[in-house]
Amino acid sequence: MVKNCLYMRLLVILVTTILAFVLTGIHTLKGLYGGTIMAIRIKYRKLFLLMVMAILLALGQLVAVAQTAHLVVNTHRLNIRSGPSARHDIITSVPGGTELPVISQRVGDAWVEVAGPTGPGWVNSTYTVARGDFSSVPNELTPNLGGGTAIPAGAPHVVVNTAYLNVRTGPGVGHSILTTVKGGTELLVTAIASGNIWYQVETSAGTGWLNRTYTASRGSFANVATIGGPELATGATDLPAGTPHLVVNTAYLNVRTGPGVGHEVLAAVRGGDKLVVTAIDSGGVWYQVETSAGTGWVNSTYAVGRGNIASVTRPASTEREGAHLSGPTPRAVVNTAHLNIRRGPGIGHSVTATVPGGSTLRVLGLSGDRRWYLVEGSFGQGWLNNYYVVFRGDFSQVPIVS
């Protein structure tokens, strides 16, 4: 791990100075009775000058170190990769607070080359804090740095809400980068992909796709087409006062046939639609609602509750999932309010289920980077990030799954 060089160098310098002072003092005292008072004074003056020089040297080194360009990790753990993108292999990961000296930076995106504990690598600077003087750090221009196009008044568009954002050739990180746009760039939205995360936009480099999470929406999206998405449904109007309902708080929201992403999509509703709530699942996340397409379930994370939600029927308390698992059986206890179960070991894989806190899931395997567990539950099998669980049982029974 990269050490905190400021404090380590200061400690070494101070210890060295103190030792020099003590040793010189001892030597002086040994000759105390064999020399004159004037000679002793001269020795102490020399010692004082040496100490002043050592302190000045230490301050000079500290100033130089403080000015050296480096990043301080500002998240729990940060991956260092073999190249400047999330598609490159993970070399290692470092904990929050680690200081990473900067080797080079790219103009046009957030990736920075650093000196890691195992050698050079790349990190996403979004999860770090910059320190020191970056004026002498070599810069690499990101190819295809683009911009927006003309946007008619009131037209649906997004404003990039991060330093730089990649626009891709398709709706997903698996697609190649078409161009990169700077923060503040306004981009006309022409379509929305199924799932409502990826927006099709117009750029100076052509039509591409971006993740709306890193943007702010502007204009009216009422007539924006969905690509590969379900049919659109509508909610209720003129609800009596106190009626428990949800107000959709995203551009589009999928209504499913059951309480979980593993169920089929019945329809989709637009942002602002009001959906009467008729039931709430045991996890408290999925709400049963009424739409023009029929009764279905929505994830309440993307909506705002209104009316007397407390009056809605909730299932009776039942035993938590996996409560029967015990002894040496490898198992993971969910240690957060809700946790996503994915199809593969990484956030790039789709979510198959969401389980509530306290659920216990049998652990079947461990990913190569040791950050993801393959688990089994009522939903079948899937992967979870082991940062959000507590392991119980015999870990030696858990194999590495490629």
Side-chain angles (χ1 to χ4, degrees):
M1 184 177 77
V2 178
K3 302 295 184 182
N4 188 321
C5 49
L6 287 174
Y7 297 119
M8 290 299 292
R9 290 193 184 188
L10 177 61
L11 179 62
V12 171
I13 291 168
L14 288 178
V15 171
T16 303
T17 303
I18 292 172
L19 286 176
F21 176 82
V22 172
L23 291 174
T24 306
I26 292 174
H27 177 73
T28 302
L29 289 174
K30 285 183 177 179
L32 180 62
Y33 298 101
T36 65
I37 298 297
M38 181 62 69
I40 294 173
R41 287 178 177 175
I42 292 173
K43 287 184 178 180
Y44 272 107
R45 287 174 183 172
K46 290 181 179 179
L47 175 61
F48 176 75
L49 290 175
L50 288 174
M51 289 181 62
V52 170
M53 292 175 64
I55 292 172
L56 291 175
L57 178 61
L59 290 175
Q61 290 182 333
L62 288 175
V63 170
V65 170
Q67 292 178 343
T68 302
H70 60 282
L71 300 177
V72 182
V73 178
N74 195 30
T75 185
H76 175 67
R77 293 196 72 85
L78 181 63
N79 291 330
I80 299 179
R81 297 182 179 270
S82 59
S85 79
R87 295 196 303 275
H88 287 84
D89 294 333
I90 297 174
I91 299 174
T92 186
S93 62
V94 292
T98 300
E99 294 186 358
L100 300 170
V102 173
I103 299 174
S104 67
Q105 56 187 342
R106 286 159 57 97
V107 176
D109 67 15
W111 291 90
V112 176
E113 186 180 19
V114 297
T118 58
W122 293 83
V123 298
N124 189 325
S125 62
T126 305
Y127 306 102
T128 66
V129 177
R131 292 288 184 265
D133 182 8
F134 279 70
S135 61
S136 61
V137 175
N139 288 302
E140 300 178 25
L141 283 176
T142 299
N144 300 326
L145 191 62
T149 59
I151 300 175
H157 64 283
V158 293
V159 181
V160 178
N161 198 26
T162 185
Y164 293 92
L165 182 61
N166 290 328
V167 179
R168 299 180 179 272
T169 56
V173 294
H175 295 274
S176 59
I177 297 173
L178 172 70
T179 186
T180 301
V181 293
K182 293 183 178 181
T185 303
E186 296 184 348
L187 302 168
L188 180 68
V189 177
T190 54
I192 298 176
S194 177
N196 310 317
I197 298 296
W198 290 86
Y199 284 2
Q200 186 182 60
V201 296
E202 294 296 328
T203 75
S204 59
T207 303
W209 294 83
L210 57 74
N211 188 323
R212 70 173 178 83
T213 306
Y214 306 103
T215 67
S217 298
R218 297 289 184 268
S220 174
F221 282 70
N223 297 317
V224 178
T226 57
I227 297 178
E231 66 172 292
L232 289 176
T234 57
T237 58
D238 301 325
L239 294 176
T243 301
H245 65 282
L246 296 177
V247 179
V248 178
N249 196 30
T250 184
Y252 293 92
L253 180 61
N254 288 330
V255 181
R256 299 182 179 273
T257 56
V261 293
H263 297 273
E264 295 181 0
V265 176
L266 174 68
V269 289
R270 296 182 185 274
D273 279 2
K274 298 178 180 180
L275 308 173
V276 176
V277 178
T278 54
I280 301 175
D281 82 323
S282 58
V285 174
W286 290 86
Y287 284 25
Q288 188 181 56
V289 296
E290 297 293 334
T291 74
S292 60
T295 302
W297 293 81
V298 297
N299 188 324
S300 62
T301 304
Y302 305 102
V304 178
R306 293 288 184 265
N308 188 12
I309 297 292
S311 65
V312 178
T313 302
R314 296 173 182 259
S317 178
T318 58
E319 182 182 49
R320 292 185 183 273
E321 177 159 4
H324 64 285
L325 299 175
S326 62
T329 302
R331 58 197 185 276
V333 182
V334 177
N335 196 30
T336 185
H338 294 89
L339 183 60
N340 289 331
I341 308 297
R342 298 182 180 273
R343 295 187 184 278
I347 59 175
H349 296 274
S350 59
V351 177
T352 61
T354 301
V355 294
S359 299
T360 302
L361 307 170
R362 184 188 299 272
V363 176
L364 304 178
L366 181 67
S367 63
D369 61 6
R370 298 179 177 274
R371 298 185 63 188
W372 295 80
Y373 286 151
L374 174 63
V375 296
E376 184 177 54
S378 60
F379 49 82
Q381 293 185 4
W383 293 83
L384 58 77
N385 188 321
N386 57 26
Y387 175 70
Y388 301 103
V389 300
V390 177
F391 184 86
R392 293 287 184 266
D394 184 1
F395 190 79
S396 66
Q397 296 183 22
V398 181
I400 299 294
V401 179
S402 59

mmCIF file of all heavy atoms in Angstrom, residues 284-325:
data_model
loop_
_atom_site.group_PDB
_atom_site.id
_atom_site.type_symbol
_atom_site.label_atom_id
_atom_site.label_comp_id
_atom_site.label_asym_id
_atom_site.label_seq_id
_atom_site.Cartn_x
_atom_site.Cartn_y
_atom_site.Cartn_z
ATOM 1 N N GLY A 284 -40.816 -4.006 1.653
ATOM 2 C CA GLY A 284 -41.134 -2.595 1.749
ATOM 3 C C GLY A 284 -40.644 -1.751 0.600
ATOM 4 O O GLY A 284 -40.725 -0.524 0.650
ATOM 5 N N VAL A 285 -40.131 -2.387 -0.476
ATOM 6 C CA VAL A 285 -39.624 -1.645 -1.628
ATOM 7 C C VAL A 285 -40.596 -1.698 -2.794
ATOM 8 O O VAL A 285 -40.828 -0.701 -3.469
ATOM 9 C CB VAL A 285 -38.248 -2.196 -2.067
ATOM 10 C CG1 VAL A 285 -37.780 -1.540 -3.351
ATOM 11 C CG2 VAL A 285 -37.228 -1.986 -0.960
ATOM 12 N N TRP A 286 -41.187 -2.846 -3.031
ATOM 13 C CA TRP A 286 -42.084 -3.020 -4.174
ATOM 14 C C TRP A 286 -43.536 -2.788 -3.766
ATOM 15 O O TRP A 286 -44.030 -3.361 -2.788
ATOM 16 C CB TRP A 286 -41.908 -4.416 -4.764
ATOM 17 C CG TRP A 286 -40.575 -4.558 -5.451
ATOM 18 C CD1 TRP A 286 -39.394 -4.906 -4.877
ATOM 19 C CD2 TRP A 286 -40.299 -4.298 -6.828
ATOM 20 N NE1 TRP A 286 -38.392 -4.891 -5.804
ATOM 21 C CE2 TRP A 286 -38.912 -4.530 -7.019
ATOM 22 C CE3 TRP A 286 -41.074 -3.910 -7.920
ATOM 23 C CZ2 TRP A 286 -38.296 -4.371 -8.253
ATOM 24 C CZ3 TRP A 286 -40.456 -3.758 -9.154
ATOM 25 C CH2 TRP A 286 -39.084 -3.986 -9.311
ATOM 26 N N TYR A 287 -44.206 -1.903 -4.546
ATOM 27 C CA TYR A 287 -45.600 -1.550 -4.268
ATOM 28 C C TYR A 287 -46.491 -2.063 -5.405
ATOM 29 O O TYR A 287 -46.146 -1.926 -6.584
ATOM 30 C CB TYR A 287 -45.762 -0.037 -4.182
ATOM 31 C CG TYR A 287 -45.267 0.598 -2.899
ATOM 32 C CD1 TYR A 287 -44.282 -0.005 -2.112
ATOM 33 C CD2 TYR A 287 -45.780 1.819 -2.469
ATOM 34 C CE1 TYR A 287 -43.831 0.590 -0.948
ATOM 35 C CE2 TYR A 287 -45.323 2.427 -1.297
ATOM 36 C CZ TYR A 287 -44.348 1.800 -0.544
ATOM 37 O OH TYR A 287 -43.900 2.384 0.616
ATOM 38 N N GLN A 288 -47.628 -2.619 -5.024
ATOM 39 C CA GLN A 288 -48.620 -3.034 -6.029
ATOM 40 C C GLN A 288 -49.485 -1.820 -6.361
ATOM 41 O O GLN A 288 -49.991 -1.139 -5.469
ATOM 42 C CB GLN A 288 -49.489 -4.160 -5.478
ATOM 43 C CG GLN A 288 -50.419 -4.774 -6.524
ATOM 44 C CD GLN A 288 -51.283 -5.864 -5.924
ATOM 45 O OE1 GLN A 288 -52.008 -5.634 -4.955
ATOM 46 N NE2 GLN A 288 -51.193 -7.069 -6.477
ATOM 47 N N VAL A 289 -49.626 -1.552 -7.668
ATOM 48 C CA VAL A 289 -50.328 -0.338 -8.097
ATOM 49 C C VAL A 289 -51.333 -0.657 -9.199
ATOM 50 O O VAL A 289 -51.289 -1.719 -9.828
ATOM 51 C CB VAL A 289 -49.332 0.722 -8.608
ATOM 52 C CG1 VAL A 289 -48.412 1.188 -7.496
ATOM 53 C CG2 VAL A 289 -48.522 0.176 -9.787
ATOM 54 N N GLU A 290 -52.223 0.298 -9.420
ATOM 55 C CA GLU A 290 -53.229 0.187 -10.473
ATOM 56 C C GLU A 290 -52.839 1.085 -11.651
ATOM 57 O O GLU A 290 -52.532 2.265 -11.460
ATOM 58 C CB GLU A 290 -54.608 0.583 -9.942
ATOM 59 C CG GLU A 290 -55.150 -0.307 -8.839
ATOM 60 C CD GLU A 290 -55.449 -1.719 -9.335
ATOM 61 O OE1 GLU A 290 -55.716 -1.879 -10.551
ATOM 62 O OE2 GLU A 290 -55.404 -2.651 -8.515
ATOM 63 N N THR A 291 -52.871 0.516 -12.858
ATOM 64 C CA THR A 291 -52.588 1.293 -14.071
ATOM 65 C C THR A 291 -53.638 0.972 -15.127
ATOM 66 O O THR A 291 -54.444 0.035 -14.959
ATOM 67 C CB THR A 291 -51.195 0.956 -14.642
ATOM 68 O OG1 THR A 291 -51.231 -0.341 -15.274
ATOM 69 C CG2 THR A 291 -50.137 0.945 -13.553
ATOM 70 N N SER A 292 -53.597 1.703 -16.231
ATOM 71 C CA SER A 292 -54.543 1.429 -17.322
ATOM 72 C C SER A 292 -54.276 0.090 -17.972
ATOM 73 O O SER A 292 -55.142 -0.459 -18.673
ATOM 74 C CB SER A 292 -54.434 2.549 -18.376
ATOM 75 O OG SER A 292 -53.126 2.609 -18.915
ATOM 76 N N ALA A 293 -53.079 -0.480 -17.744
ATOM 77 C CA ALA A 293 -52.742 -1.795 -18.297
ATOM 78 C C ALA A 293 -53.056 -2.919 -17.324
ATOM 79 O O ALA A 293 -52.847 -4.088 -17.630
ATOM 80 C CB ALA A 293 -51.271 -1.835 -18.680
ATOM 81 N N GLY A 294 -53.545 -2.568 -16.134
ATOM 82 C CA GLY A 294 -53.862 -3.571 -15.131
ATOM 83 C C GLY A 294 -53.050 -3.381 -13.862
ATOM 84 O O GLY A 294 -52.306 -2.410 -13.713
ATOM 85 N N THR A 295 -53.197 -4.338 -12.949
ATOM 86 C CA THR A 295 -52.480 -4.287 -11.678
ATOM 87 C C THR A 295 -51.064 -4.809 -11.842
ATOM 88 O O THR A 295 -50.840 -5.833 -12.474
ATOM 89 C CB THR A 295 -53.218 -5.116 -10.613
ATOM 90 O OG1 THR A 295 -54.549 -4.618 -10.460
ATOM 91 C CG2 THR A 295 -52.500 -5.037 -9.270
ATOM 92 N N GLY A 296 -50.106 -4.085 -11.280
ATOM 93 C CA GLY A 296 -48.713 -4.515 -11.375
ATOM 94 C C GLY A 296 -47.907 -4.015 -10.193
ATOM 95 O O GLY A 296 -48.468 -3.469 -9.228
ATOM 96 N N TRP A 297 -46.591 -4.189 -10.287
ATOM 97 C CA TRP A 297 -45.710 -3.818 -9.180
ATOM 98 C C TRP A 297 -44.631 -2.854 -9.668
ATOM 99 O O TRP A 297 -44.089 -3.013 -10.762
ATOM 100 C CB TRP A 297 -45.035 -5.056 -8.600
ATOM 101 C CG TRP A 297 -45.988 -5.999 -7.915
ATOM 102 C CD1 TRP A 297 -46.784 -6.927 -8.511
ATOM 103 C CD2 TRP A 297 -46.242 -6.087 -6.520
ATOM 104 N NE1 TRP A 297 -47.522 -7.605 -7.575
ATOM 105 C CE2 TRP A 297 -47.203 -7.110 -6.324
ATOM 106 C CE3 TRP A 297 -45.745 -5.419 -5.395
ATOM 107 C CZ2 TRP A 297 -47.679 -7.466 -5.079
ATOM 108 C CZ3 TRP A 297 -46.208 -5.778 -4.138
ATOM 109 C CH2 TRP A 297 -47.174 -6.791 -3.992
ATOM 110 N N VAL A 298 -44.299 -1.846 -8.847
ATOM 111 C CA VAL A 298 -43.244 -0.898 -9.181
ATOM 112 C C VAL A 298 -42.273 -0.780 -8.010
ATOM 113 O O VAL A 298 -42.633 -1.022 -6.855
ATOM 114 C CB VAL A 298 -43.799 0.505 -9.524
ATOM 115 C CG1 VAL A 298 -44.682 0.445 -10.753
ATOM 116 C CG2 VAL A 298 -44.548 1.100 -8.325
ATOM 117 N N ASN A 299 -41.034 -0.407 -8.332
ATOM 118 C CA ASN A 299 -40.028 -0.173 -7.306
ATOM 119 C C ASN A 299 -40.227 1.242 -6.766
ATOM 120 O O ASN A 299 -40.055 2.226 -7.490
ATOM 121 C CB ASN A 299 -38.631 -0.331 -7.918
ATOM 122 C CG ASN A 299 -37.531 -0.284 -6.875
ATOM 123 O OD1 ASN A 299 -37.610 0.452 -5.902
ATOM 124 N ND2 ASN A 299 -36.492 -1.070 -7.081
ATOM 125 N N SER A 300 -40.576 1.350 -5.493
ATOM 126 C CA SER A 300 -40.913 2.649 -4.904
ATOM 127 C C SER A 300 -39.718 3.579 -4.775
ATOM 128 O O SER A 300 -39.882 4.767 -4.465
ATOM 129 C CB SER A 300 -41.545 2.447 -3.521
ATOM 130 O OG SER A 300 -40.630 1.810 -2.637
ATOM 131 N N THR A 301 -38.510 3.061 -5.030
ATOM 132 C CA THR A 301 -37.323 3.912 -4.973
ATOM 133 C C THR A 301 -37.420 5.045 -5.993
ATOM 134 O O THR A 301 -36.870 6.131 -5.785
ATOM 135 C CB THR A 301 -36.054 3.078 -5.250
ATOM 136 O OG1 THR A 301 -35.999 1.988 -4.328
ATOM 137 C CG2 THR A 301 -34.789 3.917 -5.121
ATOM 138 N N TYR A 302 -38.136 4.776 -7.092
ATOM 139 C CA TYR A 302 -38.237 5.753 -8.185
ATOM 140 C C TYR A 302 -39.569 6.500 -8.165
ATOM 141 O O TYR A 302 -40.037 6.974 -9.193
ATOM 142 C CB TYR A 302 -38.049 5.032 -9.523
ATOM 143 C CG TYR A 302 -36.766 4.253 -9.572
ATOM 144 C CD1 TYR A 302 -36.763 2.871 -9.406
ATOM 145 C CD2 TYR A 302 -35.553 4.896 -9.753
ATOM 146 C CE1 TYR A 302 -35.571 2.150 -9.442
ATOM 147 C CE2 TYR A 302 -34.355 4.193 -9.782
ATOM 148 C CZ TYR A 302 -34.378 2.814 -9.627
ATOM 149 O OH TYR A 302 -33.196 2.111 -9.654
ATOM 150 N N ALA A 303 -40.175 6.600 -6.992
ATOM 151 C CA ALA A 303 -41.453 7.298 -6.858
ATOM 152 C C ALA A 303 -41.527 7.961 -5.493
ATOM 153 O O ALA A 303 -40.719 7.680 -4.597
ATOM 154 C CB ALA A 303 -42.615 6.323 -7.045
ATOM 155 N N VAL A 304 -42.495 8.838 -5.342
ATOM 156 C CA VAL A 304 -42.707 9.547 -4.072
ATOM 157 C C VAL A 304 -44.081 9.164 -3.534
ATOM 158 O O VAL A 304 -45.080 9.219 -4.267
ATOM 159 C CB VAL A 304 -42.632 11.074 -4.269
ATOM 160 C CG1 VAL A 304 -42.889 11.798 -2.959
ATOM 161 C CG2 VAL A 304 -41.273 11.475 -4.847
ATOM 162 N N GLY A 305 -44.142 8.743 -2.278
ATOM 163 C CA GLY A 305 -45.402 8.331 -1.682
ATOM 164 C C GLY A 305 -46.270 9.514 -1.285
ATOM 165 O O GLY A 305 -45.775 10.511 -0.777
ATOM 166 N N ARG A 306 -47.559 9.393 -1.540
ATOM 167 C CA ARG A 306 -48.509 10.431 -1.180
ATOM 168 C C ARG A 306 -49.769 9.780 -0.592
ATOM 169 O O ARG A 306 -50.075 8.624 -0.874
ATOM 170 C CB ARG A 306 -48.895 11.269 -2.410
ATOM 171 C CG ARG A 306 -47.748 12.123 -2.971
ATOM 172 C CD ARG A 306 -47.443 13.285 -2.040
ATOM 173 N NE ARG A 306 -46.427 14.186 -2.580
ATOM 174 C CZ ARG A 306 -45.140 14.113 -2.298
ATOM 175 N NH1 ARG A 306 -44.712 13.164 -1.474
ATOM 176 N NH2 ARG A 306 -44.288 14.978 -2.809
ATOM 177 N N GLY A 307 -50.522 10.546 0.201
ATOM 178 C CA GLY A 307 -51.743 10.011 0.803
ATOM 179 C C GLY A 307 -51.435 9.154 2.014
ATOM 180 O O GLY A 307 -50.325 9.161 2.558
ATOM 181 N N ASN A 308 -52.416 8.366 2.436
ATOM 182 C CA ASN A 308 -52.303 7.546 3.641
ATOM 183 C C ASN A 308 -51.676 6.185 3.309
ATOM 184 O O ASN A 308 -52.359 5.160 3.266
ATOM 185 C CB ASN A 308 -53.688 7.370 4.279
ATOM 186 C CG ASN A 308 -53.605 6.694 5.636
ATOM 187 O OD1 ASN A 308 -52.520 6.552 6.211
ATOM 188 N ND2 ASN A 308 -54.741 6.260 6.145
ATOM 189 N N ILE A 309 -50.355 6.174 3.078
ATOM 190 C CA ILE A 309 -49.652 4.934 2.743
ATOM 191 C C ILE A 309 -49.729 3.935 3.894
ATOM 192 O O ILE A 309 -49.752 2.718 3.686
ATOM 193 C CB ILE A 309 -48.175 5.233 2.400
ATOM 194 C CG1 ILE A 309 -48.070 6.118 1.151
ATOM 195 C CG2 ILE A 309 -47.387 3.945 2.189
ATOM 196 C CD1 ILE A 309 -48.494 5.450 -0.128
ATOM 197 N N ALA A 310 -49.820 4.435 5.137
ATOM 198 C CA ALA A 310 -49.845 3.545 6.305
ATOM 199 C C ALA A 310 -51.055 2.624 6.306
ATOM 200 O O ALA A 310 -51.052 1.576 6.958
ATOM 201 C CB ALA A 310 -49.815 4.382 7.581
ATOM 202 N N SER A 311 -52.114 2.985 5.569
ATOM 203 C CA SER A 311 -53.328 2.160 5.559
ATOM 204 C C SER A 311 -53.245 1.006 4.562
ATOM 205 O O SER A 311 -54.134 0.150 4.526
ATOM 206 C CB SER A 311 -54.539 3.037 5.196
ATOM 207 O OG SER A 311 -54.416 3.530 3.863
ATOM 208 N N VAL A 312 -52.168 0.949 3.763
ATOM 209 C CA VAL A 312 -52.035 -0.088 2.732
ATOM 210 C C VAL A 312 -51.715 -1.430 3.370
ATOM 211 O O VAL A 312 -50.920 -1.523 4.315
ATOM 212 C CB VAL A 312 -50.940 0.291 1.721
ATOM 213 C CG1 VAL A 312 -50.765 -0.803 0.676
ATOM 214 C CG2 VAL A 312 -51.275 1.608 1.054
ATOM 215 N N THR A 313 -52.330 -2.478 2.848
ATOM 216 C CA THR A 313 -52.134 -3.830 3.363
ATOM 217 C C THR A 313 -50.689 -4.279 3.182
ATOM 218 O O THR A 313 -50.120 -4.144 2.103
ATOM 219 C CB THR A 313 -53.044 -4.829 2.628
ATOM 220 O OG1 THR A 313 -54.400 -4.413 2.776
ATOM 221 C CG2 THR A 313 -52.858 -6.235 3.172
ATOM 222 N N ARG A 314 -50.123 -4.799 4.253
ATOM 223 C CA ARG A 314 -48.778 -5.360 4.214
ATOM 224 C C ARG A 314 -48.849 -6.814 4.647
ATOM 225 O O ARG A 314 -49.675 -7.171 5.495
ATOM 226 C CB ARG A 314 -47.824 -4.594 5.139
ATOM 227 C CG ARG A 314 -47.595 -3.139 4.722
ATOM 228 C CD ARG A 314 -46.785 -2.396 5.771
ATOM 229 N NE ARG A 314 -46.605 -1.001 5.411
ATOM 230 C CZ ARG A 314 -45.483 -0.503 4.884
ATOM 231 N NH1 ARG A 314 -44.467 -1.319 4.648
ATOM 232 N NH2 ARG A 314 -45.390 0.778 4.572
ATOM 233 N N PRO A 315 -47.986 -7.673 4.099
ATOM 234 C CA PRO A 315 -48.023 -9.091 4.485
ATOM 235 C C PRO A 315 -47.648 -9.270 5.947
ATOM 236 O O PRO A 315 -46.888 -8.475 6.507
ATOM 237 C CB PRO A 315 -46.994 -9.736 3.556
ATOM 238 C CG PRO A 315 -46.078 -8.617 3.177
ATOM 239 C CD PRO A 315 -46.941 -7.397 3.121
ATOM 240 N N ALA A 316 -48.197 -10.322 6.555
ATOM 241 C CA ALA A 316 -47.866 -10.617 7.941
ATOM 242 C C ALA A 316 -46.384 -10.946 8.044
ATOM 243 O O ALA A 316 -45.753 -11.386 7.091
ATOM 244 C CB ALA A 316 -48.714 -11.806 8.435
ATOM 245 N N SER A 317 -45.832 -10.698 9.223
ATOM 246 C CA SER A 317 -44.417 -10.959 9.441
ATOM 247 C C SER A 317 -44.098 -12.422 9.194
ATOM 248 O O SER A 317 -44.770 -13.323 9.696
ATOM 249 C CB SER A 317 -44.037 -10.585 10.875
ATOM 250 O OG SER A 317 -42.687 -10.872 11.117
ATOM 251 N N THR A 318 -43.096 -12.669 8.400
ATOM 252 C CA THR A 318 -42.685 -14.036 8.080
ATOM 253 C C THR A 318 -41.220 -14.221 8.428
ATOM 254 O O THR A 318 -40.476 -13.268 8.646
ATOM 255 C CB THR A 318 -42.894 -14.338 6.583
ATOM 256 O OG1 THR A 318 -42.135 -13.384 5.816
ATOM 257 C CG2 THR A 318 -44.353 -14.223 6.206
ATOM 258 N N GLU A 319 -40.798 -15.455 8.474
ATOM 259 C CA GLU A 319 -39.408 -15.765 8.776
ATOM 260 C C GLU A 319 -38.505 -15.213 7.682
ATOM 261 O O GLU A 319 -38.804 -15.324 6.499
ATOM 262 C CB GLU A 319 -39.241 -17.287 8.887
ATOM 263 C CG GLU A 319 -37.831 -17.710 9.253
ATOM 264 C CD GLU A 319 -37.687 -19.216 9.312
ATOM 265 O OE1 GLU A 319 -38.123 -19.886 8.353
ATOM 266 O OE2 GLU A 319 -37.135 -19.717 10.287
ATOM 267 N N ARG A 320 -37.398 -14.599 8.074
ATOM 268 C CA ARG A 320 -36.466 -14.063 7.095
ATOM 269 C C ARG A 320 -35.855 -15.177 6.259
ATOM 270 O O ARG A 320 -35.666 -16.296 6.737
ATOM 271 C CB ARG A 320 -35.347 -13.293 7.794
ATOM 272 C CG ARG A 320 -35.804 -12.008 8.463
ATOM 273 C CD ARG A 320 -34.608 -11.259 9.017
ATOM 274 N NE ARG A 320 -35.006 -10.052 9.728
ATOM 275 C CZ ARG A 320 -35.200 -8.880 9.145
ATOM 276 N NH1 ARG A 320 -35.038 -8.771 7.847
ATOM 277 N NH2 ARG A 320 -35.544 -7.818 9.852
ATOM 278 N N GLU A 321 -35.548 -14.828 5.014
ATOM 279 C CA GLU A 321 -34.973 -15.819 4.108
ATOM 280 C C GLU A 321 -33.644 -16.331 4.653
ATOM 281 O O GLU A 321 -32.808 -15.564 5.130
ATOM 282 C CB GLU A 321 -34.742 -15.206 2.723
ATOM 283 C CG GLU A 321 -34.075 -16.167 1.758
ATOM 284 C CD GLU A 321 -34.294 -15.799 0.312
ATOM 285 O OE1 GLU A 321 -34.892 -14.756 0.042
ATOM 286 O OE2 GLU A 321 -33.874 -16.575 -0.550
ATOM 287 N N GLY A 322 -33.496 -17.663 4.588
ATOM 288 C CA GLY A 322 -32.254 -18.299 4.998
ATOM 289 C C GLY A 322 -32.083 -18.449 6.491
ATOM 290 O O GLY A 322 -30.993 -18.808 6.952
ATOM 291 N N ALA A 323 -33.136 -18.212 7.257
ATOM 292 C CA ALA A 323 -33.017 -18.297 8.716
ATOM 293 C C ALA A 323 -32.654 -19.713 9.175
ATOM 294 O O ALA A 323 -32.116 -19.897 10.272
ATOM 295 C CB ALA A 323 -34.320 -17.848 9.379
ATOM 296 N N HIS A 324 -32.924 -20.706 8.337
ATOM 297 C CA HIS A 324 -32.645 -22.098 8.705
ATOM 298 C C HIS A 324 -31.172 -22.466 8.540
ATOM 299 O O HIS A 324 -30.723 -23.500 9.049
ATOM 300 C CB HIS A 324 -33.477 -23.032 7.830
ATOM 301 C CG HIS A 324 -33.137 -22.960 6.373
ATOM 302 N ND1 HIS A 324 -33.535 -21.891 5.581
ATOM 303 C CD2 HIS A 324 -32.420 -23.790 5.564
ATOM 304 C CE1 HIS A 324 -33.096 -22.086 4.342
ATOM 305 N NE2 HIS A 324 -32.415 -23.213 4.311
ATOM 306 N N LEU A 325 -30.395 -21.635 7.844
ATOM 307 C CA LEU A 325 -28.980 -21.935 7.627
ATOM 308 C C LEU A 325 -28.194 -21.696 8.906
ATOM 309 O O LEU A 325 -28.371 -20.673 9.575
ATOM 310 C CB LEU A 325 -28.421 -21.063 6.500
ATOM 311 C CG LEU A 325 -29.081 -21.238 5.122
ATOM 312 C CD1 LEU A 325 -28.516 -20.229 4.135
ATOM 313 C CD2 LEU A 325 -28.871 -22.658 4.618
#
